[in-house]
Amino acid sequence: MKSGNFRKTKQGAGMTKKGVAAYRRANPGSKLKTAVTEKKPTGKRASRRKSYCARSAGQMKKFPKAAKNPNSRLRQARKRWRC
């Protein structure tokens, strides 16, 4: 993966559309998608957000150092997903 496939931490961390497309080309059959950033998603997108927020909450417990740092990739990604 090239460095242009990931957002900088200040931009909210995570992968870009370009990065997701590159990953899916390299891994046929992958269902990777970009972040759900809209304010009130419905249906499957709402479920994806809820699931991501639950998983990342577990990461916050596992990595307390990252959880305390507001500039960590974990905190910035959660902010972008609106968790």
Side-chain angles (χ1 to χ4, degrees), residues 3-61:
S3 61
N5 295 339
F6 296 94
R7 294 180 190 286
K8 291 183 171 40
T9 304
K10 290 180 181 176
Q11 295 174 334
M15 292 181 83
T16 61
K17 282 185 180 181
K18 181 182 167 189
V20 170
Y23 180 86
R24 291 185 70 173
R25 276 194 305 276
N27 298 281
S30 170
K31 295 180 181 177
L32 185 68
K33 297 177 183 177
T34 56
V36 178
T37 57
E38 59 208 66
K39 289 192 178 181
K40 294 202 177 192
T42 56
K44 289 183 180 182
R45 290 179 65 74
S47 299
R48 278 187 61 231
R49 175 186 282 169
K50 188 174 180 183
S51 177
Y52 173 79
C53 291
R55 282 196 316 274
S56 62
Q59 289 178 324
M60 296 275 279
K61 288 181 182 176

